[in-house]
Amino acid sequence: MKKQFLYTGLALFLSLSAAAQKDPVAVKFSESINKNRAYSHLSILASDEYEGRETGKKGAWMAAEYIKKQFKSFGLVGPVKDGTDPYFQKVGLVTNDVSGATLSINGKARQLYKDFVIPSNSVSNTGLDLNASEVIFAGYGMTKEGGYNDFDGINAEGKVIMIFSTGDPTVKPGDSVPTGRAAMMAARQRMTNLMKSKPKAILLIDMNFDKLPESSKIASTLGRIMLKKDAPATAAPQRATPIITLTISPATANEILKASNTTVEALSKKIMESGKPSSLTATTSLVASAKKSETPQRGENVLGFLEGSDPKLKNEILVITGHYDHIGLNPDPNAKDKVYNGADDDGSGTTGVLLMAEAFSKAKKAGKGPKRSILFMTVVGEEKGLLGSEWYSEHPVFPLANTIADLNTDMIGRIGEEYLGKADSANYIYSVGSSMLSTELGQIQEKINNTYTKMKLDFKYDDPKDPERIYYRSDHYNFAKNNIPIIFFYDGMLGKDYHGLGDEVSKINFDLLAKRAHLTYYIGWELANRPNRPVVDKNQNGTPKTTN
């Protein structure tokens, strides 16, 4: 629910409440913001060729090049001066990847990717060093209250535990077996319960290890993409030391069990047929080690700059943003659909930025350009944690003190679940944060919408109790936390297609996308041409600032 605040400036109240008329110049140059232009951009950005635009991968680089090409064709200037390409702000992305991984069993070295993998989340910044003289085999690592217990009589604390990575001996023939997300959550819960017993390390036996493509094994050793900070990786803050976890092949597991005169195949059959645990302690020599090394990853924010026409105002900057990255390729080798296309998230917002950039550029070429300058910026790494916008906020091309507002479009192409079938389903948008820092910006938005687009503005996600915490989940937040007023436009699509394979161009409502881009454009036109920048009269928590 949107909170309403009183503003003490009488002049502002009168100016905003007066009947407003459409600016014919703004209307004229809005004509290129239309469904056909939207389709021409989005059908490329969200195509299979762009491979889901994952940060640090080929598809994202292709998208960045496409956006740069469009900015240049509009006549926008590349404002970046400390790189090789003035349209690209290189973002300091790195991964801390596993390197030098070794494993030996009974003095015999095992082969990386053929016999074992050490995932990146198992290695601390200071490395991994494991040495054990025995391994406890604990079946499927399951504990069910009042029933099956692989750890009955076992003290796992400080020990190396070996279990099957999947399977459930308590499932009877005909019982339903969890699949997809349910299976993933069940496996995660099992690991959580296991780690409560404080083992020294966990060896996960993957019975399909030999069938897995090497690319997926390599991928597990790569750390998540993050921003490179000034401190070296070894000094980077880290949560509690991770539990050492190795994924091993059945052959490696059998080498560990060699002195016990059994095999994982025999143990699995015994447990499944009896429905009872068959845990044992294997005497063996196991030595493992690994390090982490920082690997730079390519990623860039794409910037197009339109200089303002007023000598007194052109040093003030309006920023219009959308993130062009998505989540990449489907890891399932058997899937028919290989690409998470991300048409709505956030191909639609990126398309909106391109449409607005073209419209404002045409106005400038006709001698009707905005008084203030506008920075059109599509950012990378949003799906990895708002990384591109965070980098810009810490390394701004234009001073943040000169930045008057950020208008952010992230998912503006679909009808969200709450509006399906409703009368206003094709005439709404969630407006997030418009009055969080500036009462005036919220009032400007209301005035512009009432004058030009007459959409239903839904302020649901302004509620401080919003369980989804939408206000904190897109790139506008890195401006808001620096006390720059923002508006985040969002369609509310959180169903099965959110980060799903169904987020396709065919499901985009291009008329609605264009209308939402029109609203953003007209607000941008007002902000870039009005005499004063929006007043920041709120604290970060949305409460009014006190004046002496």
Side-chain angles (χ1 to χ4, degrees), residues 168 176-190:
D168 186 342
S176 61
V177 179
T179 59
R181 182 173 176 79
M184 181 183 71
M185 296 303 293
R188 184 175 295 176
Q189 185 60 49
R190 181 175 62 135

Side-chain angles (χ1 to χ4, degrees), residues 211-511:
K211 299 177 183 178
L212 295 175
E214 186 168 300
S215 59
S216 70
K217 299 174 186 177
I218 293 173
S220 72
T221 70
L222 305 179
R224 68 180 180 87
I225 286 184
M226 60 184 68
L227 293 181
K228 179 179 177 64
K229 300 298 184 180
D230 293 335
T234 54
Q238 182 171 310
R239 58 181 175 79
T241 302
I243 294 289
I244 298 172
T245 305
L246 282 70
T247 302
I248 60 175
S249 68
T252 302
N254 286 336
E255 184 65 28
I256 292 171
L257 294 168
K258 193 171 184 178
S260 303
N261 294 317
T262 188
T263 65
V264 290
E265 292 83 3
L267 288 168
S268 176
K269 182 179 180 182
K270 179 179 179 181
I271 296 170
M272 286 296 185
E273 289 179 350
S274 68
K276 296 179 180 179
S278 186
S279 303
L280 60 87
T281 298
T283 301
T284 187
S285 170
L286 183 149
V287 179
S289 64
K291 299 182 294 184
K292 271 195 171 177
S293 59
E294 187 177 87
T295 305
Q297 301 293 330
R298 176 184 166 183
E300 47 264 326
N301 296 327
V302 191
L303 281 62
F305 181 65
L306 188 74
E307 185 176 44
S309 60
D310 189 323
K312 294 181 180 180
L313 295 177
K314 68 179 183 180
N315 288 331
E316 294 184 352
I317 313 294
L318 169 67
V319 180
I320 298 179
T321 54
H323 74 89
Y324 67 85
D325 64 305
H326 193 54
I327 61 174
L329 295 172
N330 187 350
D332 183 353
N334 300 315
K336 293 182 179 179
D337 193 345
K338 301 294 186 183
V339 181
Y340 290 96
N341 297 89
D344 192 34
D345 185 13
D346 182 34
S348 63
T350 300
T351 294
V353 174
L354 291 172
L355 295 175
M356 289 181 275
E358 183 176 14
F360 276 105
S361 299
K362 285 183 174 180
K364 181 170 182 176
K365 288 176 182 178
K368 304 294 184 180
K371 294 177 181 179
R372 287 184 177 83
S373 298
I374 303 179
L375 176 64
F376 299 93
M377 179 167 65
T378 59
V379 297
V380 74
E382 191 271 356
E383 301 291 1
K384 305 295 186 182
L386 314 186
L387 301 184
S389 55
E390 181 179 350
W391 184 264
Y392 181 87
S393 72
E394 294 176 353
H395 306 83
V397 174
F398 299 98
L400 294 184
N402 293 358
T403 303
I404 68 163
D406 171 54
L407 304 179
N408 185 44
T409 52
D410 187 353
M411 300 173 64
I412 59 170
R414 295 277 296 270
I415 298 172
E417 287 72 21
E418 290 189 355
Y419 280 86
L420 287 173
K422 291 187 177 180
D424 50 7
S425 63
N427 193 45
Y428 83 96
I429 188 68
Y430 289 101
S431 171
V432 185
S434 60
S435 296
M436 184 66 76
L437 292 170
S438 171
T439 305
E440 186 176 8
L441 181 59
Q443 292 173 334
I444 290 169
Q445 174 184 236
E446 296 268 15
K447 170 192 168 185
I448 294 301
N449 182 53
N450 290 336
T451 303
Y452 290 96
T453 46
K454 294 180 170 57
M455 300 188 76
K456 177 182 177 181
L457 300 179
D458 193 324
F459 300 98
K460 169 184 176 178
Y461 294 112
D462 278 354
D463 188 338
K465 296 180 182 179
D466 166 30
E468 299 290 343
R469 292 175 60 81
I470 294 295
Y471 175 70
Y472 304 95
R473 286 173 53 180
S474 190
D475 296 293
H476 62 279
Y477 181 66
N478 282 313
F479 291 90
K481 73 181 185 183
N482 284 286
N483 293 311
I484 296 169
I486 63 91
I487 306 178
F488 166 31
F489 292 111
Y490 166 57
D491 60 23
M493 201 271 288
L494 277 175
K496 65 179 182 179
D497 286 346
Y498 174 68
H499 286 189
L501 292 166
D503 188 4
E504 300 271 5
V505 173
S506 60
K507 296 182 180 180
I508 296 295
N509 184 323
F510 284 97
D511 284 313

Side-chain angles (χ1 to χ4, degrees), residues 104-165:
S104 66
I105 308 296
N106 297 320
K108 181 180 178 181
R110 309 302 296 188
Q111 187 175 337
L112 181 64
Y113 306 131
K114 180 179 182 295
D115 300 316
F116 75 100
V117 168
I118 302 181
S120 63
N121 59 5
S122 298
V123 184
S124 70
N125 289 332
T126 56
L128 178 153
D129 187 8
L130 177 63
N131 196 321
S133 58
E134 64 178 23
V135 172
I136 297 174
F137 170 74
Y140 291 84
M142 295 188 63
T143 303
K144 293 200 172 182
E145 188 173 344
Y148 186 93
N149 183 2
D150 276 314
F151 293 95
D152 188 25
I154 292 176
N155 178 13
E157 185 171 355
K159 306 292 179 59
V160 177
I161 305 296
M162 182 168 69
I163 61 173
F164 292 110
S165 62

